[in-house]
Amino acid sequence: MSEQENFQAPDLLSGLDVEQRLAAETLRGPLCILAGAGTGKTRAITHRIAHGVHTGVYNPTSVLALTFTTRAASEMRTRLRLLGAPGVQTRTFHAAALRQLQYFWPQSIGGTLPNLVEHKAPLIAESARRLRISSDRAMVRDLASEIEWAKVSMHSPESYAKVASSRDLPNGLEAVSMARIFQTYEELKDDRSVIDFEDVLLLTSAILEDNEKVAANVRSQYRHFVVDEYQDVSPLQQRLLDLWLGGRDELCVVGDASQTIYSFTGAKPDYLLNFGAKYPEATVVKLVRDYRSTPEVVNLANKVLSTRRIETSMPDPTVTWPEPLELIAQRDHGPSPEFFEAADDEQEAAEVAQRIKALLKNGQDVSEIAVLYRTNGQSQAFEQALTARGISYVMRGAERFFSRREVKEGMLALRAALNVAGDQPVSQLVRDVLASHGYAPEAPTGSTGAVRQRWESLSALVRLADDLVASRGAQGDQVTLRDVVKELEDRAATQHAPTLDGVTLASFHAAKGLEWDVVFLAGLSDGLVPITYAKDQAGYDEERRLLYVGITRARIHLYLSWSLARTPGGRAHRYPSRFLDGIKSVRQASSRQQAPVRRKPQKLTPLVCAGCGSFLTTAKERKLKRCSSCPAVYDEALFESLRSWRAAVAQSNSVPAFVIFTDATLMAIAEHRPSTLPQLAKISGVGRSKIERYGEAMLAVLAEYAG
């Protein structure tokens, strides 16, 4: 009896809820599944595919299921194998396109496919140097992101130059400079016969468009398509999908517009939102039963979306807010989400670490705890706080596991040991081999960053070997070192990283698609959530969705926190995120914390120009309270007097002039002409420390000019 004959179609669908079953039984024609967080979308689509295979509607090899991460593709592949449909192709867009490109390149283009570069940074850095544009590592990373956006948005260097002026470019570059870097980067790739990941999609699309024979070959191979996370599709991916379909409508898309958080990469929810317009006959199924989170977590997630407000005084009429799916919790009740406030970042990290320590003491699995934050730069405080308390942690969203140097070295060492491996038990042999590369039974004391990552990586290899021995040993099989090496090589080929043991530290973006029993959402202050560079309604809306994604990662315990100052003893100038307005109940972080600082009421709209009423977009404009096109209202002679005073102070202190006060701050002072220290302190850019250092001298200059 074949593997597929062991399954009966009714059994496949018996465990699905009403909406999931409707999706699984809709095997023909266009289908749009709107699936909220935790509603079992992967379960629905894998059962749909398996149901189609077992009923004979689908030939498994004619189905192509597309995802956005190798982890998601691997998970879907495993589920389909367990459901008796192992022949279905589950790949990322890039993996599917690369496979086709490698196969069809010789007959379509001729010769050998150019090498694929994994990292753009060296070529981009060289492009900048050739143009005599200085750049550091951070800027090169931003340049790479901008070039990736341009390419997935299907812009050539020439067409990009026309749209670049409307974008916030890296390091304040002018549009023409960014376009030249893009052009030089493309020329360097051509000179060295290499392609990047975006080229894989572009070249595959071009071949399918230009070569009807190749297009017909691909379309005869794949007749049914499933696209997960459809809200994250870019214009380039949609173009490739349309070419694969070739006018057919055997397409199932799954997504949730409320989880659109990758607009900066070129992703657009428009294709999901307009699916019904493109396919008027499409079946639409909504999955809203949340099986992941407790009602308390689900209710908070729903509130974050439902309390959305207009953040700008002049909202863009083209920005639409799709009606969010209101989740209905299916789990039993759990603890209410907890909100707490800390005096500074250090205290916030300490409070989080202390709570984690208490959870572990009560039996919580360390791998089921995550600390999530808006930017990767926030991780250091939590690394130090966890290390100080002896709590292991793992970083997510950094370099891919099998690309890490220590993992490559460890695999090479294990492969080399195949020739000398004796009768020693495999688990101990793996430990002995990796010990010379930094493995130890316990984490190195006080380590953070690269040292900690190296130990975690090698420990993960050891645990993978242990798991392999345990699983196959239970079936009576003898596990050899060769089996361990093959398992690692197979996983490396599909980027199926082993589970790392420790508290997960990750950005909100890196946490997408994951879930834990316990989630800490840290650093929820305005300026981080929403991030400072969210300047329009679309930006604010995406930041709100990002918080929603963070909240829906939690199954049971959810903690939300923020701090009032960045450093201990620093000025308490922060406010909790505006997205928490009306839904938070605050508790002090500890009994040692000072009384909560009384906050000024938050402004619901950004500042506008006092002269013309235009929206103020830059920090300088907001400081001056007027747009750059409106005439200055300050006395230019007073401004020059203030600049002369600043130059003298800077020279006597051997520091750059802007360290004393920026030009924008001096302009604001010249406009408002404060006569007392409290009046001076109200001006943006004049903090407590500058009042103490320069306040009296500044007032003396103003008084002298007035006299």
Side-chain angles (χ1 to χ4, degrees), residues 105-414:
W105 182 273
Q107 57 184 283
S108 298
I109 308 300
T112 304
L113 179 69
N115 290 328
L116 180 64
V117 293
E118 290 194 11
H119 304 289
K120 295 181 176 67
L123 289 172
I124 290 176
E126 183 174 345
S127 300
R129 285 196 302 271
R130 287 191 175 191
L131 297 172
R132 297 184 178 181
I133 297 174
S134 60
S135 63
D136 55 17
R137 180 179 299 181
M139 183 177 176
V140 168
R141 183 178 62 245
D142 292 342
L143 292 172
S145 296
E146 184 66 12
I147 289 174
E148 288 166 6
W149 175 88
K151 298 184 76 167
V152 301
S153 300
M154 296 191 295
H155 286 299
S156 65
E158 293 76 17
S159 65
Y160 170 78
K162 299 176 182 178
V163 300
S165 58
S166 63
R167 293 179 57 76
D168 289 329
L169 300 181
N171 221 38
L173 277 179
E174 293 184 357
V176 64
S177 298
M178 184 66 235
R180 290 176 63 196
I181 291 174
F182 184 10
Q183 178 66 53
T184 305
Y185 167 74
E186 292 297 314
E187 292 171 353
L188 278 176
K189 287 198 290 94
D190 290 343
D191 291 344
R192 296 173 188 181
S193 297
V194 296
I195 58 176
D196 60 26
F197 282 100
E198 291 71 45
D199 290 331
V200 171
L201 302 184
L202 286 164
L203 291 170
T204 304
S205 298
I207 289 176
L208 291 173
E209 285 180 331
D210 296 341
N211 193 317
E212 284 296 328
K213 184 178 180 180
V214 170
N217 196 328
V218 172
R219 290 165 190 161
S220 66
Q221 170 69 46
Y222 297 116
R223 299 180 179 275
H224 305 277
F225 295 84
V226 177
V227 184
D228 194 11
E229 304 288 2
Y230 194 56
Q231 76 278 353
D232 291 331
V233 164
S234 69
L236 178 54
Q237 289 166 329
Q238 182 62 46
R239 172 191 179 191
L240 182 57
L241 178 61
D242 288 338
L243 288 166
W244 281 334
L245 283 164
R248 298 170 295 175
D249 62 1
E250 289 298 332
L251 172 64
C252 168
V253 299
V254 190
D256 178 11
S258 295
Q259 297 187 67
T260 303
I261 60 173
Y262 291 106
S263 296
F264 63 94
T265 67
K268 299 179 67 173
D270 303 28
Y271 303 114
L272 175 66
L273 297 173
N274 298 327
F275 191 82
K278 184 174 183 178
Y279 300 101
E281 73 282 14
T283 300
V284 178
V285 178
K286 293 183 179 181
L287 303 184
V288 295
R289 302 174 195 258
D290 188 304
Y291 297 95
R292 174 189 299 160
S293 307
T294 63
E296 289 74 14
V297 173
V298 169
N299 290 340
L300 184 65
N302 286 336
K303 284 181 181 178
V304 165
L305 292 185
S306 65
T307 56
R308 181 251 191 182
R309 69 190 185 199
I310 302 299
E311 304 280 353
T312 65
S313 58
M314 294 179 291
D316 186 343
T318 65
V319 175
T320 58
W321 176 258
E323 188 67 28
L325 296 170
E326 185 171 355
L327 302 178
I328 303 173
Q330 303 298 301
R331 293 187 59 154
D332 292 337
H333 284 277
S336 297
E338 292 189 33
F339 300 81
F340 61 91
E341 180 179 274
D344 51 65
D345 289 353
E346 185 177 310
Q347 188 186 62
E348 182 183 14
E351 171 72 4
V352 169
Q354 195 60 38
R355 285 170 177 255
I356 291 174
K357 189 171 184 178
L359 288 165
L360 296 177
K361 188 176 180 180
N362 290 331
Q364 177 65 55
D365 183 352
V366 69
S367 64
E368 285 294 344
I369 303 175
V371 180
L372 310 181
Y373 33 75
R374 178 61 178 84
T375 67
N376 288 323
Q378 295 170 260
S379 72
Q380 184 63 31
F382 298 101
E383 292 183 62
Q384 293 174 346
L386 293 171
T387 299
R389 289 159 180 78
I391 302 171
S392 62
Y393 65 86
V394 295
M395 301 289 295
R396 184 167 184 86
E399 187 178 23
R400 291 194 295 182
F401 181 82
F402 287 103
S403 298
R404 295 178 181 178
R405 180 177 179 180
E406 64 271 16
V407 173
K408 292 180 178 179
E409 291 175 351
M411 290 177 62
L412 284 173
L414 292 172

Side-chain angles (χ1 to χ4, degrees), residues 44 151 196 437 509 545 680:
K151 298 184 76 167
D196 60 26
H437 291 270
H509 285 100
R545 293 192 295 267
L680 181 60

Side-chain angles (χ1 to χ4, degrees), residues 508-567:
F508 289 160
H509 285 100
K512 178 72 168 66
L514 303 175
E515 58 189 77
W516 297 268
D517 285 346
V518 183
V519 170
F520 290 84
L521 302 181
L524 300 183
S525 59
D526 261 4
L528 287 171
V529 183
I531 201 75
T532 51
Y533 51 74
K535 296 179 179 178
D536 54 21
Q537 190 62 46
Y540 288 121
D541 286 346
E542 182 141 339
E543 291 292 301
R544 185 181 291 274
R545 293 192 295 267
L546 193 57
L547 177 59
Y548 170 82
V549 167
I551 290 172
T552 54
R553 300 310 95 197
R555 298 193 192 102
I556 305 171
H557 299 280
L558 177 63
Y559 302 88
L560 303 94
S561 63
W562 59 91
S563 65
L564 301 176
R566 191 171 72 85
T567 57

